[in-house]
């Protein structure tokens, strides 16, 4: 089997104890399969990225002994590839321009008697879909672009290597989702699908908070004629308040002065035994432990 894995951090803050779990798990899975491990800097959402953080993350991974098999890929340099994919979807009649603001979407949902849940993603009601066949050039430059979820079956079944069988009806759960925003940034969903395919990723190993995106990504892979990788979503490290530890809730950067301590706490989340030797020896022991956990799973 030709195993290629990846770790795909967004440079919105340095690696913290939670993101190190995903980095370590994806590295261990690649090594346990005798495969390759790649790093991709997901800097498509440019307004949220912090200059210089990409290099900090690359250095943190090095300090933790998580060496990649190739130079990192920066998504900010790949807009032409995302645009090509978008144009392919437009040509297939699967993408359309949308000028709705969040307020417009809320208004439309109220008009349709649909409940508005606070602080959640709005399910796009398809307002601009009807006019999508007559768009003009000015619409293309100033609008967001969305994927039609009503043309092909949007009920996606997939298997997660840890969570087991999963399913989501993308049309019901999220509706026509954004491929490119009105500010010109490509969406995470489009960029991740294009790059996982371009890099030949066979196995996506990432945090469980991202599991909910998988059905959208599979739908896009099918629309673009791309292979679907295997998926494994890792347990999350929870903060004192029981919520996922994240940059948004103030997680501290890992202390690379003591990489073994940082790695030990990430390993504990993955159910791996603590190690007291040096970093390379600890990583080697975890590769063996990880391989045996996977074979009994
Ligand atoms: N860039 C995403 C993040 O940092 C991860 C994307 C992925 O692994 O699919 O949350």
């Amino acid at each position: 089997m030709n195993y290629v894995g990846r770790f795909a951090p967004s440079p919105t803050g340095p690696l913290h104890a939670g993101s190190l779990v995903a980095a370590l798990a994806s590295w261990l899975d690649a090594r346990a399969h005798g495969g390759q491990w790649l790093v991709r800097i997901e800097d498509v959402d440019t307004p949220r990225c912090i200059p210089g953080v990409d290099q900090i993350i690359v250095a943190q991974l090095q300090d933790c002994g998580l060496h990649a098999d190739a130079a990192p890929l920066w998504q900010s340099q790949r807009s032409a590839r995302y645009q090509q994919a978008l144009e392919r979807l437009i040509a297939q009649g699967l993408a359309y321009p949308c000028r709705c603001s969040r307020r417009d979407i809320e208004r439309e949902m109220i008009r349709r008697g649909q409940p508005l849940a606070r602080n959640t993603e709005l399910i796009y009601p398809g307002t601009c879909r009807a006019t999508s066949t007559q768009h003009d050039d000015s619409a293309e430059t100033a609008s967001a672009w969305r994927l039609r979820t009503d043309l092909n079956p949007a009920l996606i079944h997939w298997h997660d290597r840890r969570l087991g069988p999963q399913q989501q009806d993308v049309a019901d759960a999220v509706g026509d989702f954004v491929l490119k925003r009105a500010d010109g940034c490509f969406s995470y969903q489009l960029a991740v699908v294009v790059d996982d395919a371009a890099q030949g990723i066979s196995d996506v190993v990432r945090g469980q908070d991202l599991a909910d995106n998988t059905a959208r990504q599979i739908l896009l892979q099918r629309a673009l004629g791309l292979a679907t990788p295997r998926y494994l979503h890792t347990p999350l490290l929870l903060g004192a308040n029981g919520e996922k530890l994240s940059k948004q809730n103030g997680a501290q950067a890992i202390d690379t002065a003591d990489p073994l301590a940082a790695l030990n706490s990430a390993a504990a989340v993955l159910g791996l035994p603590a190690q007291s030797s040096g970093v390379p020896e600890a990583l080697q022991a975890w590769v063996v432990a990880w391989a045996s956990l996977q074979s009994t799973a």
Side-chain angles (χ1 to χ4, degrees):
M1 182 192 50
N2 193 15
Y3 183 109
V4 186
R6 59 27 166 217
F7 175 56
S10 304
T12 51
L15 281 190
H16 54 76
S19 42
L20 186 61
V21 175
L24 177 62
S26 62
W27 186 90
L28 289 173
D29 201 48
R31 295 296 172 246
H33 285 86
Q36 274 190 294
W37 186 69
L38 307 176
V39 173
R40 182 167 75 225
I41 304 293
E42 299 213 319
D43 54 351
V44 266
D45 189 352
T46 34
R48 289 186 56 231
C49 295
I50 303 173
V53 162
D54 50 353
Q55 297 299 350
I56 294 175
I57 294 174
V58 169
Q60 288 174 307
L61 292 170
Q62 292 289 335
D63 290 341
C64 289
L66 304 178
H67 303 297
D69 295 306
L73 192 78
W74 269 263
Q75 289 193 323
S76 54
Q77 296 170 4
R78 294 179 51 76
S79 299
R81 297 292 289 267
Y82 310 143
Q83 185 64 33
Q84 263 171 17
L86 175 61
E87 277 162 20
R88 179 165 170 180
L89 296 167
I90 296 170
Q92 291 173 275
L94 288 176
Y96 62 90
C98 168
R99 288 176 178 276
C100 295
S101 63
R102 191 179 168 90
R103 188 73 203 104
D104 294 334
I105 299 173
E106 286 173 354
R107 240 185 255 125
E108 180 59 20
M109 288 176 76
I110 292 164
R111 199 186 65 76
R112 294 181 185 202
Q114 287 165 351
L116 288 182
R118 284 175 79 81
N119 302 324
T120 55
E121 284 278 321
L122 296 174
I123 301 171
Y124 184 63
T127 323
C128 292
R129 206 193 267 156
T131 53
S132 63
T133 45
Q134 321 120 27
H135 65 263
D136 55 39
D137 285 351
S138 59
E140 284 185 31
T141 47
S143 330
W145 286 86
R146 290 181 181 271
L147 183 83
R148 289 191 73 142
T149 54
D150 61 328
L151 294 180
N152 296 311
L155 175 61
I156 302 291
H157 294 270
W158 57 281
H159 179 83
D160 184 276
R161 289 172 48 203
R162 177 175 148 260
L163 302 171
Q166 306 287 311
Q167 68 172 62
Q168 184 184 65
D169 187 321
V170 180
D172 284 353
V174 272
D176 295 353
F177 57 90
V178 172
L179 301 167
K180 188 178 184 180
R181 301 194 318 220
D183 67 1
C185 290
F186 289 94
S187 72
Y188 156 62
Q189 310 295 351
L190 182 68
V192 84
V193 162
V194 168
D195 287 343
D196 281 340
Q199 294 188 288
I201 301 300
S202 65
D203 287 80
V204 170
V205 177
R206 60 186 177 192
Q208 195 173 331
D209 54 319
L210 293 164
D212 186 46
N213 294 275
T214 309
R216 264 170 283 180
Q217 293 170 14
I218 294 174
L219 197 64
L220 261 180
Q221 287 153 3
R222 292 184 184 166
L224 290 165
L226 303 172
T228 293
R230 282 181 298 254
Y231 289 94
L232 188 166
H233 290 88
T234 66
L236 300 178
L237 182 60
L238 303 179
N241 58 2
E243 281 180 16
K244 180 206 152 202
L245 200 64
S246 72
K247 295 163 201 167
Q248 284 70 31
N249 61 28
Q252 299 287 310
I254 53 167
D255 177 9
T256 46
D258 189 357
L260 186 61
L263 285 165
N264 262 321
S265 59
V269 177
L270 298 171
L272 299 168
Q275 300 294 325
S276 53
S277 47
V279 167
E281 295 78 9
L283 288 172
Q284 208 34 58
W286 286 324
V287 170
V288 175
W290 178 271
S292 80
L293 277 182
Q294 299 304 309
S295 65
T296 54

